[in-house]
Amino acid sequence: MVGVSDGQLSRQVSGQAPVGRPMLSLALAAMMDAVHAHSGAVYLLTPDEPVLEMAVMAGLPRAFAAPWERVGLSAPIPVAEAVRERRLIWVGGEEDMARRYPRIAVVLPYPFALAAVPVATGSAVYGSVFVTWPGSHPPVLSDRDREQLTSACTRLAVRLERAAEERRPARAEPDLLTTGPATSVAGTLGTVEAARMVARLPYGLCSLDLHGRVGFANAAAGELLGMSVSSLLGTQLWAAVPWLNDPVYEDRYRAALLSQQVTSFVALRPPGEWLSFRMYPNTTGLSVRISRARAVTELGRAAPRPGEGPSRLVTISQVLSLAGALTEAVGVEDVVQLIADEVAPAVGSQALVVLGSRGGRLHVLGHRGYPDPHVVERFDGMALTESTPGTAALNSGVPAFFDSRQDLERLYPSRNATPDGFAAWAYLPLVASGRPVGTCVLAYAEPHVFPADERAVLTSLGGLIAQALERALLYDAKHQLAHGLQAALLPHSLPPLPGIEAAARYLPATQGMEIGGDFYDLVTTEGPAAVIGDVQGHNVTAAGLMGQIRTAVRAYTTVGQAPEEVMRSTNRLLIDLGVELFASCLYLRLDPARGTAVMARAGHPPPLLRRPDGRVRVLDLAGGPLLGIDADATYPTTEVDLAPGSVLALYTDGLIESPGVDIEDALAELGQRLAAAGDLPLEEIADELVRHSASARERIDDVALLLLRALEPGPD
């Protein structure tokens, strides 16, 4: 057992004998009895981990809470929140659960109330407890019940503390599941007569325990199900009867037990007979009444039509699939498209709008399904103080469902002046990290009734969408920041140089923030210069350092330093900055009148030179180490002929390096493409070299390319 003391985990001595009496079970049973709860569980903190682990559960099968048998303290789950905040957490019903804890609501979209309470003393937290009530419980927890729960958990914490001091740490205990009152008149005339009475009934009767296993079935039940009674006993209905083997029917059993409300469904017994199942739950199990459905059409939404699938509601498997898909959405547009492709069809919606807010105004982040987009876009820029269902949902965090146009216009009369052509709407607030990030509007072409279970599912989906949208908004903001920063650090356009034509391309890496340290520049001085370089890394630090290097090169060039001195000065600057990042660089001073270029290289890939006759060669230049390694490094220069018509290609390693590709082969391929395209306009050559580079397409690294073409000298 682990206690949390002063914010730290303090491990109790383990390996000792467990507590003799079932302390946790007794405490939980007494607590549930005091507040008339029908299920609950005790969690204990685990050794060496910030994790709550279920130690005992009562009232319902543990399978109901299987996804939460181990819960991280940071999880958005009531029992974890109770520990983090050291207070009672109250969830008043299914809509409250769907809004605040969508992860629970998507798995258990049923009407029930829940309270989670920390098990704590003044100095340490040992775990937490949750208890639940049927959906009929009032939406507010009474002061009496609140006091009963907190007092009981405090007493339990004191006992756990004492047990730990005595080196008798608590252990997990067997779950408490009531098996039903054992009859004291077994074999008596009354029991026999009761069995005869049940046998005479024209409809089927089954008794299920809390695990859904059949404990009794009359002959009519076996006849209706097409099974012998003996083959049903001890099995779960949906497992024993092939045509009931569908998660939808097991879901109804869960709904009945958790909500403690009568639940019904219809099922098709092949080839064409509909049966009605009605479940009557209590804390010991369920009684099931089975009869022939006289008119399936009268059951409305409860009866699935042949070929339509088990249910119009989103099933748990669909929710899990949608949740997985939402985690893959990157930007806001991806989220909108995913809702349109998967969420809207799953819930029967024909159109959708995703709204966000910025600067106190509503903004349309995306929409699908509206024939006239102006109907939606008129809301863009609307003040959040306006009275509309979209702003109301966003401001309040409370979902709104309108079964018909009349329902909507009754609360918002102004909507009748701007109809959108739809007949029913669900306005789902998108709340993530405790704050509203937007509203998802689902529109239906026909009037649409939203029963309680569907509202819970839609609200839960809103929670999943909100988390995806929050990530997407953050990603888009970072993406815009990255592009803005990169654009600010690179030249907006290349200045004209006498006797030289230039073209450049920059492509960020497709991984990370899409920002990096690759750079290029042209400097218009008396002796014009060109530079290209690559600071290691793909982040803001690399980009910032790149900007400093580019500025330094311009400054050293402007004051008239020779190429080797420009490189030495930049190297010393990088070392003085102490950033522990290195950079490659290629610098050249151009002399168009003489048709030459003087180059200095610091660990940079060699440039390619295409001569006027179309031949391409790799310039094997002398050079020094990467910038930022050795303060005493020197950078010798090489003079290269640059005859009119020659094309010089300067690039960073992102253009030629790719996993599994030999660098020499990649360089040879780049040379062949330059040779083939060298007579094209320079901008087209740049596009051609980037377009056909495998490295540039995959872009695991930034790509920078600078092309220089020597022009024929003009007339004096």
Side-chain angles (χ1 to χ4, degrees), residues 393-579:
L394 195 150
N395 289 327
S396 67
V398 177
F401 301 93
F402 301 97
D403 297 351
S404 65
R405 182 174 171 180
Q406 291 75 18
D407 284 349
L408 181 64
E409 292 175 356
R410 185 170 58 253
L411 291 178
Y412 301 94
S414 61
R415 280 299 301 262
N416 60 15
T418 55
D420 59 11
F422 291 93
W425 300 263
Y427 286 82
L428 308 177
L430 306 180
V431 180
S433 302
R435 64 180 185 88
V437 296
T439 300
C440 178
V441 185
L442 298 173
Y444 296 77
E446 302 294 335
H448 183 93
V449 177
F450 296 94
D453 55 352
E454 185 166 356
R455 294 185 182 210
V457 170
L458 289 173
T459 306
S460 302
L461 287 174
L464 295 174
I465 294 169
Q467 295 171 21
L469 183 61
E470 183 183 43
R471 292 192 303 270
L473 289 168
L474 180 60
Y475 172 84
D476 285 350
K478 288 183 177 179
H479 191 74
Q480 292 170 7
L481 171 65
H483 278 267
L485 179 59
Q486 195 81 57
L489 294 175
L490 291 173
H492 297 287
S493 61
L494 296 176
L497 298 179
I500 297 292
E501 180 187 4
R505 295 291 182 270
Y506 174 80
L507 298 174
T510 54
Q511 301 176 7
M513 285 187 64
E514 299 194 11
I515 186 172
D518 289 21
F519 67 97
Y520 58 85
D521 202 2
L522 293 181
V523 185
T524 56
T525 58
E526 184 175 343
V531 63
I532 190 167
D534 180 4
V535 179
Q536 68 178 119
H538 309 99
N539 50 40
V540 174
T541 302
L545 186 60
M546 173 265 284
Q548 291 177 294
I549 292 176
R550 178 175 166 242
T551 301
V553 169
R554 292 183 69 90
Y556 298 140
T557 301
T558 302
V559 299
Q561 287 191 359
E564 61 271 22
E565 285 302 317
V566 171
M567 296 293 278
R568 291 179 62 185
S569 298
T570 306
N571 177 53
R572 286 194 296 269
L573 171 68
L574 191 57
I575 291 174
D576 290 342
L577 290 174
V579 293

Side-chain angles (χ1 to χ4, degrees), residues 190-410:
T191 301
V192 173
E193 187 57 33
R196 290 173 178 169
M197 179 191 71
V198 171
R200 290 193 292 265
L201 293 176
Y203 46 80
L205 287 177
C206 290
S207 176
L208 309 184
D209 66 12
L210 292 176
H211 290 286
R213 296 180 297 236
V214 179
F216 170 83
N218 66 355
E223 180 182 348
L224 288 168
L225 296 173
M227 306 278 292
S228 66
V229 171
S230 60
S231 65
L232 292 173
L233 296 177
T235 68
Q236 295 173 319
L237 273 182
W238 46 90
V241 182
W243 46 273
L244 286 179
N245 189 10
D246 190 299
V248 170
Y249 305 131
E250 183 180 359
D251 176 74
R252 295 294 81 200
Y253 141 78
R254 288 171 175 261
L257 276 186
L258 198 53
S259 68
Q260 290 292 293
Q261 295 178 355
V262 177
T263 305
S264 62
F265 64 89
V266 294
L268 178 64
R269 174 186 170 180
E273 184 178 21
W274 289 94
L275 297 181
S276 171
F277 294 78
R278 194 164 184 84
M279 297 181 172
Y280 301 86
N282 69 7
T283 57
T284 65
L286 302 96
S287 296
V288 184
R289 182 182 186 273
I290 308 171
S291 61
R292 289 180 173 84
R294 290 188 297 273
V296 172
T297 55
E298 295 176 4
L299 298 176
R301 287 176 47 80
R305 291 185 289 272
E308 194 179 58
S311 173
R312 287 178 57 189
L313 288 180
V314 182
T315 63
I316 291 174
S317 60
Q318 285 177 298
V319 168
L320 295 176
S321 174
L322 294 174
L326 284 168
T327 61
E328 299 174 2
V330 178
V332 171
E333 187 60 28
D334 295 335
V335 174
V336 174
Q337 190 61 49
L338 183 66
I339 299 171
D341 291 344
E342 299 200 36
V343 177
V347 299
S349 170
Q350 285 74 46
L352 68 98
V353 185
V354 178
L355 303 171
S357 66
R358 186 172 62 250
R361 295 192 173 272
L362 205 64
H363 289 276
V364 177
L365 301 178
H367 59 85
R368 298 288 188 276
Y370 286 85
D372 182 6
H374 298 292
V375 171
V376 176
E377 292 166 1
R378 70 176 183 269
F379 293 106
D380 198 64
M382 176 181 290
L384 293 179
T385 54
E386 294 284 338
S387 178
T388 69
T391 56
L394 195 150
N395 289 327
S396 67
V398 177
F401 301 93
F402 301 97
D403 297 351
S404 65
R405 182 174 171 180
Q406 291 75 18
D407 284 349
L408 181 64
E409 292 175 356
R410 185 170 58 253

